[in-house]
Amino acid sequence: MMLDFTANGNDSSKKLRVEDRMESPPSRVLHIRKLPSEVSETEVIALGLPFGKVTNILMLKGKNQAFLELGTEEAAVTMVNYYTAVMPQVRNVPVFIQFSNHKELKTDSTLNQRAQAVLQAVSAVQDGGSPNSDNSTLDSVLAHAPSPVLRIIIDNMFYPVTLDVLQQIFSKFGTVMKIITFTKNNQFQALLQFSEPVNAQQARLSLDGQNIYNSCCTLRIDFSKLVNLNVKYNNDKSRDYTRPELPAGDGQPALDPAMAAAYNKDSSLLGTPSGMGAHYSNGGGFQSSLSLSQGGGAINPMSAAAAAAAAAGRMVLSGHSGCSGVLLVSNLNEEMVTPQSLFTLFGVYGDAQRVKILYNKKDSALIQMSDGNQAQLAMSHLNGQKMHGKIIRVTLSKHQAVQLPREGLDDQGLTKDFTNSPLHRFKKPGSKNFQNIFPPSATLHLSNVPEDVTEEDLRLLFSNAGGIVKAFKFFQGHKMALLQMSTVEEAIQALMDLHNYDMGSNHHLKVSFSKSTI
């Protein structure tokens, strides 16, 4: 059956409206609508990869639509069920996925040549083999690998992504030689060097647009202009797997010599020949969206139960990361710190349940987060930041929980229980707050701004918090704004003072760190 997509626009729109109203029976062919106009074949294929083998694709770029064929009807049903609960997004734009009336996709390869080439490259990598060298179109796709070095940007980074996690994921596609991680424009980025450019191309085709963890930590991958990385230190920020003898550098934990030797044996620590264990866990209890099967190396379809749990946010949030979720914060300014200010600041990265400033050491505090993953996230973003004029230190505590004072005992207000606070940002599963977690920055994002509040009002309010407002702009009409303080420390102070500030008319100002600059 050849598919005819030459119908005029009116007929097409009528069909769409009918499809919207009617539930099509399950099919392994899925109809994807409202795609961004600049979308690539790789990004559309990536929507289906976590659920099983993608066997065909047809792009209708003029109509912002695509058809995707999966290997089995079961995989397609799992994919539709999952994306019914979790809105699928491509380039941060919501797209719509439903069963097609077609039972299989037969495409004219001459009209669909590039899409087919990309699909074959991804399929070859999924199957653990190398692409077919007889296919000239595919060769041309893989030959356009200008460098063995990839530039990787992590969007929606709700959980810390470590150098070891990147090595674990990318070593599936070839020998990873070197990795350098850094933060640029308030985004976590990495440079990763393979032994061969073709491995870099295969990794980019398969992984670009995929999530490391469910519904977050999205990989954006392109080629770097560099063709070789110069790594000076082996630590948690950079590593040269070909030179385990390199020093750790200033203030970085050194790699144990035995550990270094093991890393040098290319993925031997990962435990499976394919380079990634089924449903690996980065010390946490949450499964990866990129989990690969031990045998053939194809990406595992998520079970319906796992997909439902991920959709509810439980899979990501309920993991036991090997730590209790209690943080020890030290070098605080004891004259100025309060449980409320710590609750507000650490609440940017998770739901702080209890805060205790230590009675005999008031420059230190214990903060109990909802779980170990949130504690790790807060620690990675706030350790070393300046608060009330002092650089704070954030480490994991050996305590399992923060104890409340015994009833009737006055501890001078040093311990506060925020368990039932209405100000928790992440209590609601699937909240958009999960997608807007960024490192402390001088630029703040303001929302819930009343219509009658002016730029001058907000500039004055934030100046009074202590600091200089360098730039300001409204957007989304008048409901939101970006406001830039002169330093990150001033922005931290302003967030602690003014998040949930009552602007009148039942409008409480919402303040968070922004990845943008003005």
Side-chain angles (χ1 to χ4, degrees):
M1 172 179 73
M2 286 294 283
L3 298 183
D4 179 15
F5 295 106
T6 56
N8 66 43
N10 290 336
D11 286 350
S12 172
S13 62
K14 282 178 190 169
K15 283 179 189 171
L16 280 183
R17 283 198 292 274
V18 170
E19 277 194 310
D20 278 341
R21 290 198 301 269
M22 291 173 56
E23 285 282 333
S24 298
S27 162
R28 63 194 186 98
V29 179
L30 300 175
H31 184 195
I32 305 171
R33 299 181 290 123
K34 303 212 174 164
L35 288 162
S37 53
E38 68 278 13
V39 71
S40 70
E41 291 88 350
T42 310
E43 289 170 293
V44 176
I45 291 169
L47 287 170
L49 281 178
F51 304 93
K53 191 173 179 65
V54 176
T55 50
N56 210 344
I57 179 173
L58 178 65
M59 302 287 288
L60 306 176
K61 290 202 171 176
K63 297 179 180 174
N64 300 94
Q65 297 176 31
F67 286 85
L68 200 65
E69 180 187 275
L70 273 72
T72 65
E73 190 176 290
E74 181 188 17
V77 169
T78 304
M79 178 171 165
V80 168
N81 287 344
Y82 176 68
Y83 286 132
T84 300
V86 176
M87 174 63 76
Q89 292 194 340
V90 176
R91 301 195 178 199
N92 294 321
V93 174
V95 298
F96 297 89
I97 299 175
Q98 62 198 63
F99 294 115
S100 169
N101 293 325
H102 304 290
K103 291 299 178 189
E104 64 177 324
L105 210 50
K106 290 186 179 175
T107 51
D108 184 334
S109 60
T110 57
L111 295 175
N112 204 31
Q113 206 169 47
R114 170 167 171 77
Q116 292 300 309
V118 171
L119 184 63
Q120 286 179 48
V122 172
S123 297
V125 171
Q126 269 193 311
D127 291 338
S130 57
N132 180 356
S133 58
D134 294 335
N135 187 316
S136 58
T137 311
L138 182 55
D139 276 353
S140 70
V141 171
L142 292 175
H144 285 107
S147 163
V149 179
L150 294 175
R151 184 178 68 119
I152 302 158
I153 296 173
I154 311 286
D155 280 345
N156 300 334
M157 198 167 103
F158 184 59
Y159 292 109
V161 174
T162 65
L163 183 146
D164 294 327
V165 167
L166 291 175
Q167 194 268 351
Q168 195 171 27
I169 293 168
F170 282 83
S171 63
K172 163 69 185 161
F173 302 93
T175 303
V176 175
M177 311 283 282
K178 304 168 186 177
I179 306 177
I180 297 172
T181 64
F182 55 96
T183 300
K184 184 178 180 184
N185 299 330
N186 289 330
Q187 276 192 310
F188 178 85
Q189 301 191 22
L191 294 169
L192 183 146
Q193 182 176 337
F194 279 101
S195 55
E196 299 292 337
V198 68
N199 301 131
Q201 177 70 301
Q202 289 174 353
R204 190 175 75 93
L205 286 170
S206 274
L207 297 178
D208 185 38
Q210 291 245 46
N211 294 332
I212 297 175
Y213 302 124
N214 289 301
S215 306
C216 67
C217 299
T218 309
L219 292 163
R220 302 289 177 212
I221 305 170
D222 217 328
F223 286 105
S224 169
K225 294 186 175 76
L226 301 170
V227 292
N228 185 47
L229 298 180
N230 180 24
V231 176
K232 295 179 180 177
Y233 304 111
N234 279 341
N235 53 41
D236 60 353
K237 298 284 192 293
S238 64
R239 198 163 298 160
D240 185 336
Y241 294 95
T242 67
R243 300 180 64 201
E245 76 284 355
L246 285 176
D250 293 339
Q252 294 286 355
L255 220 61
D256 178 86
M259 183 77 81
Y263 272 121
N264 202 33
K265 289 175 185 169
D266 186 30
S267 308
S268 63
L269 291 184
L270 299 180
T272 63
S274 66
M276 189 178 293
H279 296 313
Y280 80 87
S281 167
N282 173 31
F286 39 90
Q287 293 172 323
S288 166
S289 296
L290 294 178
S291 303
L292 305 185
S293 68
Q294 277 182 300
I299 294 181
N300 277 340
M302 297 168 68
S303 70
R314 290 190 297 273
M315 183 183 295
V316 176
L317 290 174
S318 64
H320 302 292
S321 66
C323 68
S324 65
V326 178
L327 295 168
L328 173 63
V329 188
S330 55
N331 203 40
L332 293 163
N333 184 328
E334 58 185 272
E335 301 297 323
M336 301 182 73
V337 71
T338 64
Q340 182 67 47
S341 63
L342 290 171
F343 165 76
T344 303
L345 178 59
F346 281 75
V348 172
Y349 301 106
D351 293 336
Q353 304 295 310
R354 294 175 178 177
V355 179
K356 179 191 286 284
I357 296 172
L358 302 186
Y359 186 82
N360 294 322
K361 200 174 189 310
K362 292 190 173 64
D363 68 346
S364 299
L366 293 172
I367 301 175
Q368 182 178 332
M369 306 298 286
S370 283
D371 61 38
N373 300 320
Q374 293 186 3
Q376 297 260 15
L377 185 69
M379 180 175 71
S380 70
H381 283 312
L382 294 175
N383 182 41
Q385 294 292 343
K386 209 168 184 183
M387 174 181 166
H388 298 139
K390 300 185 76 173
I391 293 173
I392 63 171
R393 295 282 167 244
V394 185
T395 58
L396 296 173
S397 168
K398 63 180 184 295
H399 292 280
Q400 295 301 304
V402 170
Q403 299 299 322
L404 295 176
R406 289 194 304 277
E407 203 169 333
L409 183 71
D410 178 18
D411 80 337
Q412 303 173 1
L414 296 176
T415 306
K416 292 283 185 189
D417 187 356
F418 295 99
T419 306
N420 298 315
S421 170
L423 299 183
H424 288 152
R425 296 181 190 239
F426 307 106
K427 189 179 285 184
K428 189 174 161 189
S431 163
K432 62 186 177 193
N433 290 334
F434 286 108
Q435 297 168 23
N436 295 308
I437 297 173
F438 304 110
S441 62
T443 306
L444 296 169
H445 178 277
L446 316 182
S447 59
N448 208 30
V449 179
E451 284 183 16
D452 58 347
V453 168
T454 65
E455 175 179 337
E456 195 52 47
D457 292 333
L458 289 167
R459 280 179 173 269
L460 184 62
L461 181 65
F462 278 77
S463 298
N464 288 342
I468 299 164
V469 177
K470 289 184 68 176
F472 181 93
K473 74 170 181 185
F474 276 120
F475 63 100
Q476 289 273 326
H478 196 92
K479 295 175 187 169
M480 298 184 184
L482 290 177
L483 182 144
Q484 187 176 334
M485 305 299 288
S486 60
T487 66
V488 175
E489 183 186 1
E490 287 180 7
I492 287 173
Q493 183 65 52
L495 182 142
M496 290 190 298
D497 288 350
L498 297 173
H499 177 61
N500 202 49
Y501 183 84
D502 188 353
M503 303 291 292
S505 310
N506 204 27
H507 279 82
H508 287 81
L509 190 65
K510 305 298 178 200
V511 185
S512 53
F513 297 116
S514 172
K515 68 175 179 181
S516 307
T517 51
I518 305 173

